[in-house]
Amino acid sequence: MLMLNHHDHHDHHDASGKECMLFAGTAIANGSCSAVVTSIGMGTEIGKIQEQIAAAAKEDEEMGRAGGCWMSAVALAAIGADGASVRRCAVAGHTYCPDDREVVGLGHAAALDKALQTVAEVCAVCNEAHLEFKGSAFRCVGAPTEAALLVLAEKLGLADPAETAAARKKRTATPEEHPQPVCSKYRSHAPVKALLEFDRDRKSMSVLVRPAGAARNALLVKGAAECVIDRCNRMMLPDGRVVPLTPVARAAVLGAVKDMARDALRCLALAVKPDLPGPLSDWDGADAEHCPAGRLLRDPATYAGIESELVLVGLAGLQDPPRPEVRPAIEDCKAAGIRVMVITGDNKDTAEAICAKIGVFEAGDDLSLYSFTGRDFVSLPRERQMEILASAPAMCFSRAEPRHKQDIVRLLKEQGEVTAMTGDGVNDAPALKLADIDVAMGIAGTEVAKEAADMVLADDNFSSIVAAVAEGRAIYNNMKAFIRYMISSNIGEVASIFLTAALGLPEGLIPVQLLWVNLVTDGPPATALGFNPPDKDIMTKPPRRANDQLITPWVFFRYMVIGGYVGVATVGAFVSWYMYDKFAGIDLSRDGHSTVTWDQLTHWQSCREWGNFTAKPYLLQGGGVVSFPHPCDYFTVGKAKASTLSLSVIVAIEMFNALNALSEDGSLLSMPPWANPWLLMAVAVSIALHCVILYVPFLADVFAIVPLSWPEWQLVLLWSAPVILLDEVLKAVGRAIHATDTGRAARAARAAATKKAD
């Protein structure tokens, strides 16, 4: 569950640093665990992610230097001359450069009417950001929303076309010194006396100014369109006259707001209040601690009253286009069974339009079931809230307040969902702390949000979260692959010893051979499994529950089947050599060994009582003879060849088993062995080591084994290769089981949605 919103300790560890190590192999003996650290720092996959994020952040920075920006004003609206309609203008350009095109319909030499002058003044003065020119491009310092309004003011210009032309000329000639000459002119004309900061209740901010030549102060206001319009009772016409805001005009303005919202624009209303109450009207900014005006401004509870009975001057539509990679990332989430819920403070229509644009909602979705304002949702009965959250494939909560976010996260956790919450503001900190996985924005996030979060997203990019999900699943799968390989191999060794003892056969594997297999032969492949690439369908599988078992009954059954076959194959190779001159078309008689019956082999300890038993010495590959003083020693001293075959089978079968472990349910046809070249190299190393002890006489004596001929290697492959076919069958069954579970979950979700719609 990803909750999108528009605990780290003080030491934020760099993911590429030495603290982030990859433990790719572990051997357990006598209750002690030893791990092989194969990579550290930038060598790990997590380190590579960090490197890519850093590169992406650098690219974004370079894009900003080249003039690219995410937030821009693209629409402007003001009251028409008839006082009953709204005139609209498109704003061209999508960068922070004020000379990047213009307001459509207003030429560079056009004079602004009084209403548009006031719009430009509010954009320039009721603003805490500023533009700068560095590295041959314009950049913003401050909030992108406010920077976009500064660019709009620069494009609108001043009242006098000649002054506008002079300001633009100054900006073109010396952009480093004069990046925003129009805004500077407005700010010098109306110095700010006080700032009424934004809060989430009234959803607006304002500044108290004393316009040049004016006897009284005025208030310039900007904020969420419906909230500011609700506090307006007057409007400004193009000629500067202030008249009552009639119901017809109000409906026209709200219609313009709705149209902007449907175009996925963030709509801000701009207003003024020229007739302030006494204490604020005459205040000159002095003695703020003791004067009545100062006391009013220090109490945020009075701000809504001050920002009332406003004069509406215009609307600005801001575009904050999603990054192109967001929609594919949302689609990946849906395919992976991750529900995306958007929680935003934006207007409901704007939020829904953006959700449709990025793929959270699909065409034909009934948004009345999936989109709510924060207040509407919390006003529902608790049972209804739980029902909606349980069945909705995706949701959007608009005009949400901090407490709404906490309520939503708390409800989801009560349903057993694993929630990941993103946030950037101070007010997001409580919800971040409450979520299972809390992610703060690294670029736009406040320090409070970063301190409250477990993770900080370096590039503020949603697709990085989805990539992290895929990487996390891959790491988990690799861990399971390692466990699957080691457990099934060890079960096979145990099964081999058990079968040998149960059937009364001579001891096929001696302790030093088992030690060699566990500590040397198994080590390289087990380590290399930590480098398995992700399954191709890794982001199409449903997520795991937090309480899911690592070893399910089906997984345990697979362990036992593969382990059982390893035991059977090891014993089978041992028995085949003793009992047959020719087995499955393979000629084993070239060494001249004596064959025995099953009864003789399983009762070998009674050999000295048989009286007529004979066994002759046999030849070895490359020269040499295995001889024994007494025929019955054929089952002890003479078992060297059979024991070598058993050891070789268990080594070969574990190499094939390592290839099977490339993917839990993916066939080797879809995930071929060369997908992990490190594994192929490890298998080659293990086989080479095994050949060393086979064909170096000194080492062969240490391990009580002998060299093998080509027909004997064929016998080894005959018994070991079928483990691939066996595991392919088990993988096919596993895919069918997972497909059934996924289909059952999808049908349940559709049934719940249908019931909800009814």
Side-chain angles (χ1 to χ4, degrees), residues 573-587:
F574 186 91
V575 171
S576 299
W577 184 81
Y578 264 111
M579 294 182 60
Y580 300 101
D581 283 332
K582 178 175 283 189
F583 185 80
I586 301 172
D587 184 7

Side-chain angles (χ1 to χ4, degrees), residues 115 228 264 289 582:
V228 173
E289 291 293 326
K582 178 175 283 189

Side-chain angles (χ1 to χ4, degrees), residues 488-521:
S488 59
S489 297
N490 288 327
I491 288 176
E493 295 167 15
V494 173
S496 173
I497 296 170
F498 173 79
L499 284 174
T500 299
L503 297 174
L505 299 172
E507 187 179 46
L509 297 171
I510 61 177
V512 69
Q513 294 170 349
L514 289 172
L515 190 64
W516 171 261
V517 170
N518 280 319
L519 297 184
V520 181
T521 309

Side-chain angles (χ1 to χ4, degrees), residues 695-747:
Y695 296 104
V696 175
F698 166 72
L699 294 175
D701 291 340
V702 170
F703 288 95
I705 55 179
V706 295
L708 297 180
S709 64
W710 171 237
E712 290 157 353
W713 275 113
Q714 289 179 303
L715 182 67
V716 169
L717 293 175
L718 179 67
W719 280 105
S720 57
V723 74
I724 291 182
L725 299 177
L726 179 60
D727 204 52
E728 286 292 310
V729 172
L730 293 173
K731 287 180 178 181
V733 175
R735 289 194 297 271
I737 291 173
H738 290 150
T740 301
D741 291 343
T742 302
R744 188 182 298 115
R747 287 192 297 273

Side-chain angles (χ1 to χ4, degrees), residues 316-586:
L318 306 181
Q319 185 180 54
D320 188 8
R323 296 180 180 182
E325 62 268 27
V326 171
R327 188 178 183 92
I330 296 288
E331 292 172 354
D332 288 343
C333 284
K334 290 183 176 181
I338 301 171
R339 292 192 291 160
V340 179
M341 296 188 176
V342 177
I343 305 177
T344 178
D346 280 341
N347 171 281
K348 184 178 181 181
D349 291 329
T350 302
E352 290 176 353
I354 293 174
C355 286
K357 182 178 290 187
I358 64 177
V360 174
F361 294 146
E362 301 292 341
D365 282 350
D366 184 355
L367 298 188
S368 65
L369 302 176
Y370 308 137
S371 178
F372 298 86
T373 64
R375 291 181 179 177
D376 288 344
F377 184 76
V378 298
S379 66
L380 296 174
R382 181 181 177 81
E383 294 75 16
R384 179 61 175 159
Q385 292 176 356
M386 298 288 277
E387 180 185 353
I388 291 171
L389 290 175
S391 60
M395 294 201 70
C396 174
F397 299 96
S398 51
R399 291 300 185 210
E401 300 173 10
R403 63 186 179 88
H404 298 154
K405 301 173 189 176
Q406 297 175 61
D407 291 341
I408 293 167
V409 172
R410 191 176 291 109
L411 289 171
L412 288 169
K413 291 185 69 174
E414 288 179 9
Q415 292 180 341
E417 299 281 3
V418 177
T419 58
M421 179 79 182
T422 66
D424 57 6
V426 174
N427 290 321
D428 295 327
L432 287 172
K433 273 293 187 185
L434 191 61
D436 296 297
I437 305 168
D438 29 301
V439 185
M441 301 296 105
I443 299 174
T446 61
E447 289 303 315
V448 173
K450 293 178 184 178
E451 289 296 326
D454 290 327
M455 289 180 287
V456 178
L457 190 61
D459 62 350
D460 288 11
N461 195 334
F462 176 73
S463 63
S464 295
I465 300 177
V466 180
V469 171
E471 186 63 30
R473 290 186 173 190
I475 291 171
Y476 181 78
N477 285 350
N478 289 351
M479 179 183 68
K480 289 204 298 183
F482 170 81
I483 295 172
R484 184 168 63 251
Y485 171 70
M486 294 302 295
I487 291 182
S488 59
S489 297
N490 288 327
I491 288 176
E493 295 167 15
V494 173
S496 173
I497 296 170
F498 173 79
L499 284 174
T500 299
L503 297 174
L505 299 172
E507 187 179 46
L509 297 171
I510 61 177
V512 69
Q513 294 170 349
L514 289 172
L515 190 64
W516 171 261
V517 170
N518 280 319
L519 297 184
V520 181
T521 309
D522 282 354
T527 302
L529 287 173
F531 298 96
N532 280 350
D535 290 345
K536 293 181 179 180
D537 61 347
I538 194 167
M539 290 299 284
T540 61
K541 296 179 179 178
R544 294 176 295 106
R545 291 280 180 180
N547 58 354
D548 279 358
Q549 294 177 321
L550 178 63
I551 301 177
T552 63
W554 167 246
V555 171
F556 181 73
F557 174 76
R558 285 184 60 176
Y559 290 166
M560 297 303 296
V561 170
I562 297 298
Y565 179 76
V566 173
V568 169
T570 305
V571 173
F574 186 91
V575 171
S576 299
W577 184 81
Y578 264 111
M579 294 182 60
Y580 300 101
D581 283 332
K582 178 175 283 189
F583 185 80
I586 301 172

